[in-house]
Amino acid sequence: MYLETMAKNPFSPRHPIDPAYFVNREEVLESFGRSIKRSAKSVPRKPDNIAVLGGWGIGKTSVLKKFESLAVDEFDDLKAFTAFIELNPSACQNIEAFISRTRDDIQRSFLSELPLIAKIKRELSDWRVKTLDLGIGLERKEKMMESHATSLFEEALRDLWRNILEPKDIEAALLMFDDLHYLARNYPGGLYDIRSIFQKLAMDGCNYMLFITGPETLFGEIRDFAEPFTRFFDRFKLDFFNLEETGKAIQEPLQLSGSGVKADEAVIENIYDLTQGHPYFIHFIMCDLVDYKGKGRITENFFDEHWKKIARHIEREKFEDDLFSASETERKALHQIAELHSDVVAPSEIRIRGKAEILKRLSEDKGLLIKSGRGEYKLYHPLFKEYLNQLKS
Ligand SMILES: Nc1ncnc2c1ncn2[C@@H]1O[C@H](COP(=O)(O)OP(=O)(O)OP(=O)(O)O)[C@@H](O)[C@H]1O
Ligand SMILES: [Mg+2]
């Protein structure tokens, strides 16, 4: 019985959402639909690229996964090839590491249930061997010149389009780079390279479309190169859900999964008040509630009975790690910010040496602060503020 109810739990805060349960974000999805239709039919090729930006856990990866599933299932009159490239610091140590990760993920990402793609599996493995012949991804004693590496990469992608994808009548190749800020941090010139590579490929008739994610500061970090790179993307910033959207994020998975669980309107309002509509926290709370409930109606009473336990669970799983990732002085800054009455604070209100650096690290590297346009900061979530203050008392 226990296992049976666990299996029906459609909430999973630790993973991007299952595309079947994806809700909201209409604007970016519509733009995606228009882009791929337009670009597949346009001659000469003019691919549109999309950047999905936002803070920690707001749903960036989920949007890319949804794009991928739309390209395969919904736009089936379009023959698309999609590759999902998951970046992390080690895959972005230098441009060569980035290129080999891209190459490996292009290979891995073909969706085997798609007969068309299955047919090109064999050609793709030949392509991998070929890119190795070109020298991409090989361990080298001497560091390959960056410009040499990028031109080999461009050549390999041209080869992939002309000799493998185009002959199979593929109309668009969708490359999704998740967390591109890792590259921007280690090698800002890499973003500039990406733009020039894909711009040239488009001019040569290779229809690669780029979909990238990163924090809002992604384009700011590369000020020197920002202009041309920025213009290369249609940018969308993801925000917290409003009350109605929070309701959808809760009700749709409950219904579609056949969970046998229902949530009262008052419970949705409580969850909205506590989470402010942050998708990760909504899923976290719902995941626990569904586990506790098993089957039936989640009432406000049931919610009140379980909220303390769930709050502890969030602390253990998220907030303790957040604090652990901060140095001692960074923690001091976090506590000072939490104690202030106003949620938004100016750097002048914080009394710590070297605060400019500390605030920058806490917002850009660790995602624990959010920087507003006016140079003010706030903690990334009110529940985190509450947690910090509770530790003090
Ligand atoms: N559109 C959505 N519909 C429903 N749930 C969502 C949606 N977007 C995100 N979520 C929920 O929020 C959680 C975080 O989403 P996701 O991992 O996509 O965020 P992210 O911005 O990529 O996070 P990170 O900053 O860690 O990379 C997911 O587990 C999912 O449960
Ligand atoms: Mg992500």
Side-chain angles (χ1 to χ4, degrees):
M1 170 67 189
Y2 184 66
L3 275 180
E4 199 179 289
T5 53
M6 292 290 285
K8 286 265 170 79
N9 194 333
F11 298 97
S12 56
R14 294 158 208 89
H15 304 281
I17 188 87
D18 175 340
Y21 303 148
F22 184 98
V23 293
N24 308 320
R25 311 299 189 205
E26 286 85 5
E27 199 191 353
V28 70
L29 295 189
E30 271 166 31
S31 177
F32 172 77
R34 277 197 309 273
S35 298
I36 64 169
K37 279 188 190 136
R38 191 167 49 221
S39 95
K41 310 292 172 204
S42 67
V43 182
R45 301 293 192 192
K46 279 197 209 94
D48 291 306
N49 307 304
I50 293 181
V52 180
L53 307 173
W56 173 84
I58 200 74
K60 303 177 293 297
T61 307
S62 298
V63 169
L64 284 196
K65 293 278 178 195
K66 182 70 181 178
F67 284 171
E68 202 178 20
S69 98
L70 285 174
V72 174
D73 299 331
E74 307 255 322
F75 301 108
D76 46 10
D77 53 336
L78 172 95
K79 287 188 188 156
F81 171 83
T82 67
F84 195 96
I85 300 129
E86 216 176 297
L87 300 173
N88 56 27
S90 75
C92 293
Q93 263 169 359
N94 51 46
I95 193 75
E96 280 176 71
F98 171 79
I99 291 172
S100 4
R101 168 57 62 91
T102 306
R103 191 263 332 272
D104 290 351
D105 279 353
I106 285 181
Q107 261 226 306
R108 231 192 319 272
S109 288
F110 60 82
L111 298 166
S112 50
E113 71 267 28
L114 210 68
L116 174 77
I117 300 299
K119 269 190 256 152
I120 61 179
K121 196 168 155 183
R122 167 99 199 105
E123 280 98 330
L124 272 173
S125 51
D126 291 349
W127 176 69
R128 183 173 200 276
V129 173
K130 248 170 142 175
T131 63
L132 281 169
D133 286 346
L134 289 171
I136 294 172
L138 285 182
E139 285 296 327
R140 301 189 147 243
K141 291 212 173 61
E142 284 168 52
K143 198 167 173 293
M144 198 195 297
M145 290 287 294
E146 274 149 5
S147 60
H148 185 53
T150 51
S151 58
L152 289 179
F153 184 44
E154 184 186 318
E155 214 25 68
L157 288 168
R158 190 176 283 109
D159 177 45
L160 173 65
W161 179 265
R162 293 209 173 133
N163 297 320
I164 299 176
L165 300 177
E166 200 172 39
K168 293 285 185 297
D169 298 325
I170 298 276
E171 292 167 295
L174 282 50
L175 303 187
M176 323 243 168
F177 290 96
D178 197 17
D179 292 333
L180 195 63
H181 54 286
Y182 291 121
L183 181 69
R185 275 181 205 159
N186 289 340
Y187 176 50
L191 298 186
Y192 190 74
D193 293 344
I194 288 178
R195 187 201 74 131
S196 23
I197 291 172
F198 286 97
Q199 208 163 40
K200 270 192 247 154
L201 288 169
M203 283 189 304
D204 293 349
C206 307
N207 202 27
Y208 286 102
M209 299 176 71
L210 299 184
F211 302 94
I212 65 167
T213 71
E216 253 190 290
T217 48
L218 177 66
F219 292 90
E221 281 172 24
I222 44 150
R223 209 153 285 133
D224 295 349
F225 309 110
E227 221 286 303
F229 185 71
T230 308
R231 258 191 295 123
F232 203 49
F233 290 93
D234 217 356
R235 280 171 294 158
F236 292 86
K237 180 183 173 267
L238 302 184
D239 280 315
F240 289 21
F241 292 154
N242 61 28
L243 175 61
E244 192 193 329
E245 291 169 332
T246 302
K248 273 199 208 161
I250 293 173
Q251 301 288 28
E252 290 199 11
L254 286 177
Q255 275 161 18
L256 294 173
S257 65
S259 66
V261 177
K262 287 196 164 141
D264 281 1
E265 212 40 51
V267 171
I268 292 171
E269 282 165 23
N270 280 348
I271 293 179
Y272 176 69
D273 287 342
L274 289 162
T275 63
Q276 308 276 298
H278 190 292
Y280 169 85
F281 292 110
I282 297 171
H283 267 249
F284 197 108
I285 295 172
M286 282 311 298
C287 183
D288 277 10
L289 280 174
V290 170
D291 278 353
Y292 286 130
K293 188 72 209 173
K295 280 217 173 352
R297 213 177 112 202
I298 300 175
T299 60
E300 201 172 14
N301 272 344
F302 185 86
F303 179 85
D304 290 341
E305 267 168 47
H306 291 82
W307 167 241
K308 278 229 161 65
K309 266 187 293 183
I310 298 173
R312 285 295 94 71
H313 189 193
I314 297 179
E315 289 170 15
R316 280 199 314 277
E317 190 146 322
K318 175 69 183 133
F319 299 149
E320 285 177 9
D321 280 359
D322 286 345
L323 266 197
F324 190 73
S325 78
S327 70
E328 207 169 312
T329 26
E330 287 167 356
R331 268 181 235 173
K332 257 192 206 148
L334 291 172
H335 280 295
Q336 281 190 20
I337 295 170
E339 276 164 13
L340 290 165
H341 180 69
S342 153
D343 285 339
V344 184
V345 303
S348 59
E349 292 175 84
I350 296 157
R351 306 166 312 277
I352 284 184
R353 290 237 321 257
K355 61 189 173 190
E357 260 311 301
I358 293 171
L359 293 174
K360 188 165 183 270
R361 268 204 310 273
L362 283 171
S363 62
E364 289 180 10
D365 297 346
K366 307 201 168 158
L368 299 181
L369 292 180
I370 297 176
K371 190 178 180 186
S372 77
R374 295 161 59 202
E376 293 172 322
Y377 290 88
K378 67 173 180 186
L379 292 164
Y380 79 94
H381 198 273
L383 286 173
F384 186 49
K385 177 171 178 159
E386 215 175 292
Y387 166 72
L388 289 170
N389 285 330
Q390 204 180 287
L391 283 182
K392 280 269 156 160
S393 57

